[in-house]
Amino acid sequence: MSDIVATYRLTDDAIEKMIKAATAKAREIASPSGVAVVDAGGILRSWVLMDGATPLAFEAVYKKARTAVFTGVASGGVPLDIAARLSAVMTEFANLPGGFPIMKDGRAIGAIGAGGGTHEADAAIAGAALAAIDLSS
């Protein structure tokens, strides 16, 4: 058995594509937002607060992204029994729609969080960011 494992990491270009796709979608649906991208360890790699978005969006999008990467499921979709336990031990937990894990070979390699609008708008913006990158290679 090997003492090392292969890992994947988002490139700077991929992160830039995600932020651009998210802000374009937010403009298209008139929902100024905050957007955050984190890596597999929940480290913030990029963040933007669009003109007109509430400053409170930073806290929400960062927490949504961390929730998605640590659980491997979309924020807002964590089962309530698990959410209750996680919120007790994880101060940066937010089970609100708008965070999606970035999955490769069954592992969360990062996550995107969007917030500042309705739950539907937040999910659409984060979904547009996720759709902007190629995870096939």
mmCIF file of all heavy atoms in Angstrom, residues 48-98:
data_model
loop_
_atom_site.group_PDB
_atom_site.id
_atom_site.type_symbol
_atom_site.label_atom_id
_atom_site.label_comp_id
_atom_site.label_asym_id
_atom_site.label_seq_id
_atom_site.Cartn_x
_atom_site.Cartn_y
_atom_site.Cartn_z
ATOM 1 N N VAL A 48 -15.372 37.524 -4.565
ATOM 2 C CA VAL A 48 -15.771 38.810 -5.119
ATOM 3 C C VAL A 48 -17.100 39.221 -4.493
ATOM 4 O O VAL A 48 -17.957 38.382 -4.219
ATOM 5 C CB VAL A 48 -15.892 38.770 -6.666
ATOM 6 C CG1 VAL A 48 -17.004 37.844 -7.116
ATOM 7 C CG2 VAL A 48 -16.091 40.162 -7.243
ATOM 8 N N LEU A 49 -17.226 40.506 -4.254
ATOM 9 C CA LEU A 49 -18.489 41.099 -3.819
ATOM 10 C C LEU A 49 -18.885 42.064 -4.922
ATOM 11 O O LEU A 49 -18.225 43.085 -5.127
ATOM 12 C CB LEU A 49 -18.330 41.828 -2.483
ATOM 13 C CG LEU A 49 -19.607 42.448 -1.926
ATOM 14 C CD1 LEU A 49 -20.602 41.348 -1.533
ATOM 15 C CD2 LEU A 49 -19.287 43.315 -0.722
ATOM 16 N N MET A 50 -19.929 41.717 -5.650
ATOM 17 C CA MET A 50 -20.354 42.535 -6.790
ATOM 18 C C MET A 50 -20.923 43.865 -6.311
ATOM 19 O O MET A 50 -21.446 43.974 -5.196
ATOM 20 C CB MET A 50 -21.404 41.780 -7.607
ATOM 21 C CG MET A 50 -20.885 40.516 -8.250
ATOM 22 S SD MET A 50 -22.192 39.594 -9.101
ATOM 23 C CE MET A 50 -22.612 40.769 -10.412
ATOM 24 N N ASP A 51 -20.829 44.872 -7.174
ATOM 25 C CA ASP A 51 -21.450 46.160 -6.889
ATOM 26 C C ASP A 51 -22.935 45.943 -6.614
ATOM 27 O O ASP A 51 -23.617 45.240 -7.363
ATOM 28 C CB ASP A 51 -21.294 47.110 -8.070
ATOM 29 C CG ASP A 51 -19.853 47.508 -8.331
ATOM 30 O OD1 ASP A 51 -19.031 47.382 -7.406
ATOM 31 O OD2 ASP A 51 -19.555 47.925 -9.468
ATOM 32 N N GLY A 52 -23.416 46.507 -5.520
ATOM 33 C CA GLY A 52 -24.826 46.397 -5.171
ATOM 34 C C GLY A 52 -25.160 45.214 -4.273
ATOM 35 O O GLY A 52 -26.275 45.103 -3.777
ATOM 36 N N ALA A 53 -24.192 44.329 -4.036
ATOM 37 C CA ALA A 53 -24.445 43.177 -3.164
ATOM 38 C C ALA A 53 -24.281 43.584 -1.702
ATOM 39 O O ALA A 53 -23.496 44.479 -1.383
ATOM 40 C CB ALA A 53 -23.483 42.039 -3.488
ATOM 41 N N THR A 54 -25.003 42.932 -0.845
ATOM 42 C CA THR A 54 -24.881 43.212 0.577
ATOM 43 C C THR A 54 -23.522 42.738 1.099
ATOM 44 O O THR A 54 -23.067 41.641 0.748
ATOM 45 C CB THR A 54 -26.007 42.538 1.384
ATOM 46 O OG1 THR A 54 -25.750 42.730 2.791
ATOM 47 C CG2 THR A 54 -26.096 41.047 1.109
ATOM 48 N N PRO A 55 -22.859 43.533 1.939
ATOM 49 C CA PRO A 55 -21.587 43.100 2.513
ATOM 50 C C PRO A 55 -21.718 41.814 3.337
ATOM 51 O O PRO A 55 -20.756 41.081 3.510
ATOM 52 C CB PRO A 55 -21.173 44.276 3.406
ATOM 53 C CG PRO A 55 -21.894 45.454 2.845
ATOM 54 C CD PRO A 55 -23.191 44.921 2.300
ATOM 55 N N LEU A 56 -22.914 41.526 3.820
ATOM 56 C CA LEU A 56 -23.131 40.297 4.586
ATOM 57 C C LEU A 56 -22.955 39.049 3.732
ATOM 58 O O LEU A 56 -22.789 37.952 4.264
ATOM 59 C CB LEU A 56 -24.537 40.295 5.191
ATOM 60 C CG LEU A 56 -24.818 41.386 6.228
ATOM 61 C CD1 LEU A 56 -26.284 41.352 6.643
ATOM 62 C CD2 LEU A 56 -23.908 41.239 7.429
ATOM 63 N N ALA A 57 -22.958 39.208 2.416
ATOM 64 C CA ALA A 57 -22.813 38.063 1.525
ATOM 65 C C ALA A 57 -21.483 37.357 1.735
ATOM 66 O O ALA A 57 -21.399 36.145 1.558
ATOM 67 C CB ALA A 57 -22.956 38.494 0.061
ATOM 68 N N PHE A 58 -20.436 38.088 2.141
ATOM 69 C CA PHE A 58 -19.140 37.424 2.326
ATOM 70 C C PHE A 58 -19.248 36.266 3.300
ATOM 71 O O PHE A 58 -18.805 35.160 3.020
ATOM 72 C CB PHE A 58 -18.044 38.377 2.801
ATOM 73 C CG PHE A 58 -16.793 37.612 3.173
ATOM 74 C CD1 PHE A 58 -16.008 37.058 2.182
ATOM 75 C CD2 PHE A 58 -16.452 37.390 4.498
ATOM 76 C CE1 PHE A 58 -14.876 36.309 2.507
ATOM 77 C CE2 PHE A 58 -15.327 36.645 4.824
ATOM 78 C CZ PHE A 58 -14.540 36.102 3.829
ATOM 79 N N GLU A 59 -19.800 36.510 4.461
ATOM 80 C CA GLU A 59 -19.918 35.450 5.468
ATOM 81 C C GLU A 59 -20.703 34.263 4.927
ATOM 82 O O GLU A 59 -20.305 33.117 5.087
ATOM 83 C CB GLU A 59 -20.597 35.983 6.733
ATOM 84 C CG GLU A 59 -19.780 36.975 7.497
ATOM 85 C CD GLU A 59 -18.517 36.388 8.097
ATOM 86 O OE1 GLU A 59 -18.502 35.196 8.458
ATOM 87 O OE2 GLU A 59 -17.529 37.137 8.202
ATOM 88 N N ALA A 60 -21.812 34.550 4.278
ATOM 89 C CA ALA A 60 -22.685 33.473 3.786
ATOM 90 C C ALA A 60 -22.018 32.647 2.696
ATOM 91 O O ALA A 60 -22.050 31.418 2.747
ATOM 92 C CB ALA A 60 -23.994 34.062 3.273
ATOM 93 N N VAL A 61 -21.401 33.292 1.708
ATOM 94 C CA VAL A 61 -20.848 32.522 0.586
ATOM 95 C C VAL A 61 -19.642 31.697 1.003
ATOM 96 O O VAL A 61 -19.464 30.574 0.529
ATOM 97 C CB VAL A 61 -20.526 33.406 -0.643
ATOM 98 C CG1 VAL A 61 -21.782 34.094 -1.141
ATOM 99 C CG2 VAL A 61 -19.441 34.428 -0.369
ATOM 100 N N TYR A 62 -18.841 32.230 1.893
ATOM 101 C CA TYR A 62 -17.692 31.488 2.389
ATOM 102 C C TYR A 62 -18.163 30.256 3.162
ATOM 103 O O TYR A 62 -17.656 29.146 2.973
ATOM 104 C CB TYR A 62 -16.842 32.410 3.260
ATOM 105 C CG TYR A 62 -15.592 31.777 3.821
ATOM 106 C CD1 TYR A 62 -14.638 31.211 2.983
ATOM 107 C CD2 TYR A 62 -15.360 31.761 5.184
ATOM 108 C CE1 TYR A 62 -13.486 30.639 3.494
ATOM 109 C CE2 TYR A 62 -14.206 31.197 5.703
ATOM 110 C CZ TYR A 62 -13.276 30.631 4.856
ATOM 111 O OH TYR A 62 -12.142 30.070 5.362
ATOM 112 N N LYS A 63 -19.167 30.429 4.003
ATOM 113 C CA LYS A 63 -19.703 29.311 4.778
ATOM 114 C C LYS A 63 -20.392 28.292 3.881
ATOM 115 O O LYS A 63 -20.272 27.078 4.095
ATOM 116 C CB LYS A 63 -20.660 29.820 5.850
ATOM 117 C CG LYS A 63 -19.959 30.557 6.967
ATOM 118 C CD LYS A 63 -20.944 31.097 7.981
ATOM 119 C CE LYS A 63 -20.218 31.836 9.092
ATOM 120 N NZ LYS A 63 -21.141 32.291 10.133
ATOM 121 N N LYS A 64 -21.122 28.754 2.867
ATOM 122 C CA LYS A 64 -21.774 27.822 1.933
ATOM 123 C C LYS A 64 -20.728 26.976 1.204
ATOM 124 O O LYS A 64 -20.895 25.764 1.047
ATOM 125 C CB LYS A 64 -22.613 28.584 0.909
ATOM 126 C CG LYS A 64 -23.876 29.200 1.454
ATOM 127 C CD LYS A 64 -24.596 29.973 0.354
ATOM 128 C CE LYS A 64 -25.792 30.706 0.845
ATOM 129 N NZ LYS A 64 -26.539 31.359 -0.262
ATOM 130 N N ALA A 65 -19.661 27.625 0.749
ATOM 131 C CA ALA A 65 -18.617 26.888 0.036
ATOM 132 C C ALA A 65 -17.929 25.884 0.959
ATOM 133 O O ALA A 65 -17.709 24.729 0.582
ATOM 134 C CB ALA A 65 -17.590 27.864 -0.559
ATOM 135 N N ARG A 66 -17.604 26.288 2.171
ATOM 136 C CA ARG A 66 -16.955 25.366 3.113
ATOM 137 C C ARG A 66 -17.884 24.211 3.477
ATOM 138 O O ARG A 66 -17.440 23.070 3.584
ATOM 139 C CB ARG A 66 -16.480 26.115 4.351
ATOM 140 C CG ARG A 66 -15.251 26.976 4.045
ATOM 141 C CD ARG A 66 -14.780 27.768 5.242
ATOM 142 N NE ARG A 66 -14.422 26.957 6.382
ATOM 143 C CZ ARG A 66 -13.184 26.535 6.665
ATOM 144 N NH1 ARG A 66 -12.187 26.844 5.861
ATOM 145 N NH2 ARG A 66 -12.948 25.832 7.742
ATOM 146 N N THR A 67 -19.151 24.490 3.647
ATOM 147 C CA THR A 67 -20.118 23.428 3.936
ATOM 148 C C THR A 67 -20.140 22.421 2.799
ATOM 149 O O THR A 67 -20.098 21.207 3.021
ATOM 150 C CB THR A 67 -21.522 24.026 4.164
ATOM 151 O OG1 THR A 67 -21.475 24.882 5.313
ATOM 152 C CG2 THR A 67 -22.564 22.941 4.365
ATOM 153 N N ALA A 68 -20.181 22.912 1.568
ATOM 154 C CA ALA A 68 -20.230 22.024 0.401
ATOM 155 C C ALA A 68 -18.967 21.180 0.271
ATOM 156 O O ALA A 68 -19.046 19.979 0.004
ATOM 157 C CB ALA A 68 -20.464 22.841 -0.871
ATOM 158 N N VAL A 69 -17.803 21.780 0.464
ATOM 159 C CA VAL A 69 -16.567 21.005 0.300
ATOM 160 C C VAL A 69 -16.403 19.985 1.424
ATOM 161 O O VAL A 69 -15.952 18.870 1.195
ATOM 162 C CB VAL A 69 -15.322 21.903 0.150
ATOM 163 C CG1 VAL A 69 -14.868 22.506 1.471
ATOM 164 C CG2 VAL A 69 -14.180 21.131 -0.495
ATOM 165 N N PHE A 70 -16.775 20.332 2.642
ATOM 166 C CA PHE A 70 -16.574 19.416 3.763
ATOM 167 C C PHE A 70 -17.607 18.290 3.810
ATOM 168 O O PHE A 70 -17.324 17.220 4.332
ATOM 169 C CB PHE A 70 -16.554 20.164 5.092
ATOM 170 C CG PHE A 70 -15.346 21.048 5.261
ATOM 171 C CD1 PHE A 70 -15.429 22.224 5.956
ATOM 172 C CD2 PHE A 70 -14.112 20.701 4.712
ATOM 173 C CE1 PHE A 70 -14.321 23.052 6.125
ATOM 174 C CE2 PHE A 70 -12.994 21.508 4.863
ATOM 175 C CZ PHE A 70 -13.098 22.688 5.571
ATOM 176 N N THR A 71 -18.811 18.527 3.272
ATOM 177 C CA THR A 71 -19.838 17.482 3.285
ATOM 178 C C THR A 71 -19.907 16.726 1.968
ATOM 179 O O THR A 71 -20.433 15.620 1.925
ATOM 180 C CB THR A 71 -21.235 18.066 3.585
ATOM 181 O OG1 THR A 71 -21.598 18.980 2.540
ATOM 182 C CG2 THR A 71 -21.264 18.751 4.943
ATOM 183 N N GLY A 72 -19.418 17.341 0.892
ATOM 184 C CA GLY A 72 -19.495 16.715 -0.427
ATOM 185 C C GLY A 72 -20.870 16.773 -1.046
ATOM 186 O O GLY A 72 -21.137 16.125 -2.048
ATOM 187 N N VAL A 73 -21.764 17.576 -0.472
ATOM 188 C CA VAL A 73 -23.107 17.769 -1.036
ATOM 189 C C VAL A 73 -23.399 19.265 -1.111
ATOM 190 O O VAL A 73 -22.750 20.073 -0.436
ATOM 191 C CB VAL A 73 -24.216 17.052 -0.220
ATOM 192 C CG1 VAL A 73 -23.994 15.555 -0.176
ATOM 193 C CG2 VAL A 73 -24.321 17.606 1.186
ATOM 194 N N ALA A 74 -24.378 19.612 -1.914
ATOM 195 C CA ALA A 74 -24.755 21.017 -2.044
ATOM 196 C C ALA A 74 -25.251 21.556 -0.711
ATOM 197 O O ALA A 74 -25.978 20.866 0.013
ATOM 198 C CB ALA A 74 -25.839 21.172 -3.107
ATOM 199 N N SER A 75 -24.826 22.779 -0.387
ATOM 200 C CA SER A 75 -25.351 23.394 0.832
ATOM 201 C C SER A 75 -26.858 23.564 0.651
ATOM 202 O O SER A 75 -27.352 23.760 -0.450
ATOM 203 C CB SER A 75 -24.668 24.742 1.101
ATOM 204 O OG SER A 75 -24.924 25.668 0.072
ATOM 205 N N GLY A 76 -27.564 23.430 1.732
ATOM 206 C CA GLY A 76 -29.017 23.417 1.667
ATOM 207 C C GLY A 76 -29.550 22.001 1.543
ATOM 208 O O GLY A 76 -30.732 21.756 1.746
ATOM 209 N N GLY A 77 -28.662 21.044 1.222
ATOM 210 C CA GLY A 77 -29.073 19.661 1.042
ATOM 211 C C GLY A 77 -28.515 18.717 2.088
ATOM 212 O O GLY A 77 -28.665 17.502 1.980
ATOM 213 N N VAL A 78 -27.874 19.267 3.112
ATOM 214 C CA VAL A 78 -27.340 18.421 4.169
ATOM 215 C C VAL A 78 -28.520 17.958 5.030
ATOM 216 O O VAL A 78 -29.304 18.783 5.497
ATOM 217 C CB VAL A 78 -26.301 19.185 5.034
ATOM 218 C CG1 VAL A 78 -25.769 18.309 6.152
ATOM 219 C CG2 VAL A 78 -25.172 19.711 4.159
ATOM 220 N N PRO A 79 -28.666 16.647 5.226
ATOM 221 C CA PRO A 79 -29.786 16.154 6.044
ATOM 222 C C PRO A 79 -29.816 16.826 7.420
ATOM 223 O O PRO A 79 -28.769 17.105 8.014
ATOM 224 C CB PRO A 79 -29.507 14.651 6.160
ATOM 225 C CG PRO A 79 -28.683 14.334 4.954
ATOM 226 C CD PRO A 79 -27.843 15.556 4.712
ATOM 227 N N LEU A 80 -31.019 17.095 7.914
ATOM 228 C CA LEU A 80 -31.168 17.870 9.144
ATOM 229 C C LEU A 80 -30.461 17.278 10.351
ATOM 230 O O LEU A 80 -29.893 18.023 11.152
ATOM 231 C CB LEU A 80 -32.662 18.074 9.451
ATOM 232 C CG LEU A 80 -33.416 18.933 8.437
ATOM 233 C CD1 LEU A 80 -34.885 19.056 8.824
ATOM 234 C CD2 LEU A 80 -32.785 20.313 8.310
ATOM 235 N N ASP A 81 -30.459 15.956 10.500
ATOM 236 C CA ASP A 81 -29.783 15.373 11.662
ATOM 237 C C ASP A 81 -28.274 15.607 11.597
ATOM 238 O O ASP A 81 -27.634 15.912 12.604
ATOM 239 C CB ASP A 81 -30.111 13.884 11.804
ATOM 240 C CG ASP A 81 -29.691 13.062 10.590
ATOM 241 O OD1 ASP A 81 -29.769 13.569 9.452
ATOM 242 O OD2 ASP A 81 -29.297 11.892 10.783
ATOM 243 N N ILE A 82 -27.715 15.510 10.397
ATOM 244 C CA ILE A 82 -26.286 15.769 10.229
ATOM 245 C C ILE A 82 -26.005 17.265 10.365
ATOM 246 O O ILE A 82 -25.026 17.672 10.994
ATOM 247 C CB ILE A 82 -25.785 15.229 8.872
ATOM 248 C CG1 ILE A 82 -25.927 13.703 8.860
ATOM 249 C CG2 ILE A 82 -24.351 15.654 8.600
ATOM 250 C CD1 ILE A 82 -25.703 13.067 7.508
ATOM 251 N N ALA A 83 -26.885 18.089 9.812
ATOM 252 C CA ALA A 83 -26.715 19.546 9.892
ATOM 253 C C ALA A 83 -26.697 20.011 11.342
ATOM 254 O O ALA A 83 -25.899 20.880 11.710
ATOM 255 C CB ALA A 83 -27.820 20.246 9.117
ATOM 256 N N ALA A 84 -27.538 19.443 12.169
ATOM 257 C CA ALA A 84 -27.586 19.840 13.578
ATOM 258 C C ALA A 84 -26.259 19.532 14.265
ATOM 259 O O ALA A 84 -25.747 20.356 15.035
ATOM 260 C CB ALA A 84 -28.733 19.124 14.282
ATOM 261 N N ARG A 85 -25.687 18.369 13.981
ATOM 262 C CA ARG A 85 -24.402 18.017 14.598
ATOM 263 C C ARG A 85 -23.277 18.893 14.058
ATOM 264 O O ARG A 85 -22.422 19.358 14.817
ATOM 265 C CB ARG A 85 -24.098 16.539 14.363
ATOM 266 C CG ARG A 85 -24.992 15.623 15.190
ATOM 267 C CD ARG A 85 -24.529 14.199 15.096
ATOM 268 N NE ARG A 85 -24.597 13.729 13.717
ATOM 269 C CZ ARG A 85 -25.348 12.716 13.304
ATOM 270 N NH1 ARG A 85 -26.065 12.048 14.147
ATOM 271 N NH2 ARG A 85 -25.348 12.365 12.040
ATOM 272 N N LEU A 86 -23.270 19.115 12.740
ATOM 273 C CA LEU A 86 -22.204 19.919 12.150
ATOM 274 C C LEU A 86 -22.238 21.361 12.644
ATOM 275 O O LEU A 86 -21.190 21.960 12.909
ATOM 276 C CB LEU A 86 -22.286 19.886 10.623
ATOM 277 C CG LEU A 86 -21.861 18.592 9.962
ATOM 278 C CD1 LEU A 86 -22.112 18.660 8.456
ATOM 279 C CD2 LEU A 86 -20.403 18.277 10.237
ATOM 280 N N SER A 87 -23.422 21.924 12.750
ATOM 281 C CA SER A 87 -23.503 23.325 13.180
ATOM 282 C C SER A 87 -23.029 23.499 14.617
ATOM 283 O O SER A 87 -22.606 24.584 15.004
ATOM 284 C CB SER A 87 -24.922 23.867 13.006
ATOM 285 O OG SER A 87 -25.824 23.178 13.846
ATOM 286 N N ALA A 88 -23.065 22.420 15.402
ATOM 287 C CA ALA A 88 -22.586 22.493 16.781
ATOM 288 C C ALA A 88 -21.065 22.518 16.862
ATOM 289 O O ALA A 88 -20.511 23.073 17.807
ATOM 290 C CB ALA A 88 -23.132 21.313 17.586
ATOM 291 N N VAL A 89 -20.383 21.933 15.876
ATOM 292 C CA VAL A 89 -18.925 21.841 15.942
ATOM 293 C C VAL A 89 -18.202 22.650 14.870
ATOM 294 O O VAL A 89 -17.008 22.870 14.964
ATOM 295 C CB VAL A 89 -18.455 20.367 15.859
ATOM 296 C CG1 VAL A 89 -18.959 19.580 17.049
ATOM 297 C CG2 VAL A 89 -18.857 19.719 14.557
ATOM 298 N N MET A 90 -18.926 23.071 13.859
ATOM 299 C CA MET A 90 -18.312 23.787 12.740
ATOM 300 C C MET A 90 -18.898 25.195 12.670
ATOM 301 O O MET A 90 -20.019 25.380 12.208
ATOM 302 C CB MET A 90 -18.576 23.023 11.436
ATOM 303 C CG MET A 90 -17.864 23.561 10.243
ATOM 304 S SD MET A 90 -18.176 22.465 8.824
ATOM 305 C CE MET A 90 -18.269 23.671 7.526
ATOM 306 N N THR A 91 -18.147 26.179 13.135
ATOM 307 C CA THR A 91 -18.663 27.547 13.170
ATOM 308 C C THR A 91 -18.897 28.110 11.780
ATOM 309 O O THR A 91 -19.654 29.049 11.620
ATOM 310 C CB THR A 91 -17.711 28.484 13.937
ATOM 311 O OG1 THR A 91 -16.438 28.453 13.298
ATOM 312 C CG2 THR A 91 -17.580 28.065 15.383
ATOM 313 N N GLU A 92 -18.255 27.530 10.778
ATOM 314 C CA GLU A 92 -18.415 28.025 9.413
ATOM 315 C C GLU A 92 -19.311 27.108 8.601
ATOM 316 O O GLU A 92 -19.037 26.789 7.451
ATOM 317 C CB GLU A 92 -17.045 28.212 8.765
ATOM 318 C CG GLU A 92 -16.289 29.328 9.453
ATOM 319 C CD GLU A 92 -14.837 29.379 9.074
ATOM 320 O OE1 GLU A 92 -14.316 28.402 8.527
ATOM 321 O OE2 GLU A 92 -14.220 30.415 9.338
ATOM 322 N N PHE A 93 -20.417 26.682 9.188
ATOM 323 C CA PHE A 93 -21.393 25.807 8.545
ATOM 324 C C PHE A 93 -22.613 26.631 8.165
ATOM 325 O O PHE A 93 -23.097 27.436 8.958
ATOM 326 C CB PHE A 93 -21.799 24.680 9.504
ATOM 327 C CG PHE A 93 -22.847 23.766 8.953
ATOM 328 C CD1 PHE A 93 -22.506 22.746 8.090
ATOM 329 C CD2 PHE A 93 -24.175 23.930 9.291
ATOM 330 C CE1 PHE A 93 -23.468 21.896 7.561
ATOM 331 C CE2 PHE A 93 -25.153 23.088 8.784
ATOM 332 C CZ PHE A 93 -24.793 22.068 7.918
ATOM 333 N N ALA A 94 -23.102 26.454 6.931
ATOM 334 C CA ALA A 94 -24.321 27.139 6.492
ATOM 335 C C ALA A 94 -25.088 26.220 5.559
ATOM 336 O O ALA A 94 -24.675 25.997 4.425
ATOM 337 C CB ALA A 94 -23.987 28.441 5.783
ATOM 338 N N ASN A 95 -26.180 25.682 6.034
ATOM 339 C CA ASN A 95 -26.989 24.772 5.229
ATOM 340 C C ASN A 95 -28.060 25.560 4.473
ATOM 341 O O ASN A 95 -29.251 25.329 4.624
ATOM 342 C CB ASN A 95 -27.613 23.683 6.110
ATOM 343 C CG ASN A 95 -28.049 22.482 5.303
ATOM 344 O OD1 ASN A 95 -27.543 22.237 4.218
ATOM 345 N ND2 ASN A 95 -28.997 21.741 5.828
ATOM 346 N N LEU A 96 -27.596 26.508 3.672
ATOM 347 C CA LEU A 96 -28.461 27.341 2.835
ATOM 348 C C LEU A 96 -28.100 27.086 1.376
ATOM 349 O O LEU A 96 -26.930 26.911 1.052
ATOM 350 C CB LEU A 96 -28.242 28.825 3.143
ATOM 351 C CG LEU A 96 -28.503 29.268 4.574
ATOM 352 C CD1 LEU A 96 -27.976 30.678 4.786
ATOM 353 C CD2 LEU A 96 -29.988 29.191 4.879
ATOM 354 N N PRO A 97 -29.074 27.089 0.475
ATOM 355 C CA PRO A 97 -28.769 26.862 -0.944
ATOM 356 C C PRO A 97 -27.784 27.895 -1.495
ATOM 357 O O PRO A 97 -27.773 29.045 -1.073
ATOM 358 C CB PRO A 97 -30.133 26.994 -1.624
ATOM 359 C CG PRO A 97 -31.124 26.667 -0.554
ATOM 360 C CD PRO A 97 -30.514 27.217 0.709
ATOM 361 N N GLY A 98 -26.956 27.429 -2.445
ATOM 362 C CA GLY A 98 -26.014 28.324 -3.101
ATOM 363 C C GLY A 98 -24.574 27.870 -3.022
ATOM 364 O O GLY A 98 -23.692 28.549 -3.530
#
